[in-house]
Amino acid sequence: MIQIQAALFWAYAVGATFALAAGRQLQVWERINAGEGPRTRSRAANPYLALTVLFAAVLMVPTGLFLLWQNPSWATMHVADSHEGVWAGFVLFYAGGVPVAAILGFLAAQMLVLVGAGYWAYLQCVGGYFLLFGTLVHGWDGSGYERFLSPGARDWADWPRDSVVNNALDFLTSGTFLALLVFGAAVIGTMLMTEIGWLLEGWSLPGADEDRKVHPVLAVAIAGAGVYGLPFLGAVTASVLVRLLGGWLGLPLFAVLAGVVLLPRRSPVRRLYGLVGVPHRHWRADLDLAARPGKDDAAGPGAGPGSGGPPDPGGETQLTEGRPG
C-alpha cells in the first residue's frame, strides 16, 4: 500500500521488527530445535516466520497492487503517467520482492537476536524505516514529499503553482488518500497488533520481568518511538542537511550524527532500548552434555537422570550473560 520505490524498504523493516518483537520466543524456538536435533524439526516451520510471510503476502502485496492498478502515477511516484508507462516486470518485482524483503529482514534480525546482539537487530528496524521515510520525505531528487502528496500526474505537474498547504489539502480529499486510510487500517493495524501481541507474549516468559524496567504500556510507547519515530526524525534531519549543505557534505555529516546517537554504549537510544525488555542475551545449548557420563550435576535441575526429573533433550541450557546489545 506504499509507493513502489519505498515498498521493499518497508517490507524489510516490517520483517525485522516482527523478529525483534518475538525475540524471546525465537530464542525458545531455537532451544527446541537444538534439543530435538536438526533432522527432526525444520527451521522453516518457525510459526513467527510463517506469520511474517503471511502478513507480507496477504496484506502488503494485494493492497500495493490495488493502488498500482488504481493510480499508477501515484504508486510509481509519478515516474509513470498511466498503465502504459508501467513495465510488467515492475508488477512482478513488487509482488515477489515484498515477501522476500520481509523474509530477509526477519532472518537478519532473528540471527542477531539468537547470538545475543538484540540491539543490532533493533538497528535493522531503524535502518529499514529510515530508508522508507527517507524515500517518502526526500526521494532521489529532493521532491519525495511532493510526489507523495500529489494524488495524480496533473497534481504533480501543477505542484509549484500552489502552496504546500493547499496541495496537502487536495491530497487529503482525494480518492488515493481514502484508499490509504482503508488499507492502512487493515495493514498497519494488523502490523501493530501483531508486534504488541508478540511483545506481551515475550514479556510473560522467564526473565522478562527482570529485563523490562518500565510499565508495559510505557514500554510499548518507547518501542514505538524507537522503531518509527526515531527513523522518521532521522529522515527529516537528513533531508534538511542535504538541502542546506548538499549531498556530498550533508549525508556524511548526518552519518556522523547518527553514529553518535546510536552506537556508543551509553547513548540515550541504548538506554531506552534497555528499558523495554527485548532480548539482549542469548541461549546456549550443549547437545552432547546429557549423553556424557558424570555430567549430571553440571546439567542443572531436571536435566539429568540423577536430578529426579526427566532428562532435557537439549542437555544444559544456559542464559548467557555478558553479551550486551
Side-chain angles (χ1 to χ4, degrees):
M1 56 166 285
I2 201 66
Q3 290 162 311
I4 193 170
Q5 288 87 343
L8 297 186
F9 300 140
W10 188 30
Y12 184 91
V14 168
T17 307
F18 276 14
L20 183 63
R24 294 186 180 278
Q25 298 91 309
L26 293 174
Q27 289 178 339
V28 174
W29 184 259
E30 181 70 8
R31 290 179 61 198
I32 295 173
N33 280 329
E36 295 190 8
R39 298 183 181 275
T40 59
R41 183 183 294 272
S42 171
R43 299 293 177 89
N46 184 330
Y48 299 97
L49 175 59
L51 290 173
T52 300
V53 176
L54 191 65
F55 173 83
V58 174
L59 288 177
M60 297 182 73
V61 170
T63 54
L65 292 179
F66 177 87
L67 287 172
L68 183 60
W69 176 262
Q70 181 202 43
N71 191 345
S73 180
W74 183 86
T76 60
M77 299 188 79
H78 308 292
V79 173
D81 294 334
S82 62
H83 293 98
E84 287 74 16
V86 179
W87 177 49
F90 282 126
V91 181
L92 180 64
F93 178 74
Y94 182 92
V98 167
V100 170
I103 292 172
L104 292 177
F106 186 97
L107 293 178
Q110 175 185 248
M111 177 189 67
L112 292 168
V113 165
L114 293 181
V115 300
Y119 183 77
W120 292 94
Y122 161 70
L123 292 184
Q124 300 297 308
C125 311
V126 172
Y129 276 111
F130 171 76
L131 292 174
L132 164 66
F133 292 132
T135 303
L136 300 182
V137 171
H138 192 86
W140 58 89
D141 59 357
S143 62
Y145 73 94
E146 298 174 5
R147 294 174 183 272
F148 180 82
L149 295 176
S150 299
R154 178 166 296 181
D155 301 289
W156 162 242
D158 294 340
W159 178 276
R161 301 179 183 178
D162 211 339
S163 66
V164 175
V165 174
N166 288 336
N167 283 317
L169 290 175
D170 290 340
F171 175 74
L172 295 177
T173 57
S174 66
T176 298
F177 179 72
L178 178 61
L180 287 176
L181 279 181
V182 174
F183 292 147
V187 178
I188 298 178
T190 302
M191 180 187 74
L192 293 177
M193 287 191 297
T194 300
E195 292 167 358
I196 295 173
W198 287 356
L199 277 175
L200 295 176
E201 181 182 81
W203 288 335
S204 67
L205 296 175
D209 288 338
E210 301 174 3
D211 289 340
R212 180 170 48 80
K213 304 298 191 301
V214 295
H215 190 275
V217 175
L218 181 57
V220 169
I222 293 174
V227 170
Y228 308 114
L230 183 64
F232 178 76
L233 180 61
V236 173
T237 303
S239 179
V240 171
L241 290 176
V242 169
R243 293 175 189 277
L244 293 178
L245 305 176
W248 290 105
L249 185 58
L251 287 179
L253 177 59
F254 173 77
V256 172
L257 293 175
V260 171
V261 171
L262 295 174
L263 298 183
R265 291 188 177 275
R266 296 186 178 181
S267 70
V269 178
R270 280 185 181 267
R271 290 180 182 274
L272 291 173
Y273 177 88
L275 297 176
V276 175
V278 288
H280 61 276
R281 296 170 290 180
H282 78 293
W283 293 102
R284 183 179 64 191
D286 185 351
L287 301 182
D288 299 327
L289 190 58
R292 295 175 187 169
K295 299 292 185 179
D296 296 338
D297 294 338
S307 62
D312 184 351
E316 180 188 20
T317 303
Q318 299 176 340
L319 188 58
T320 303
E321 306 279 358
R323 284 205 180 187

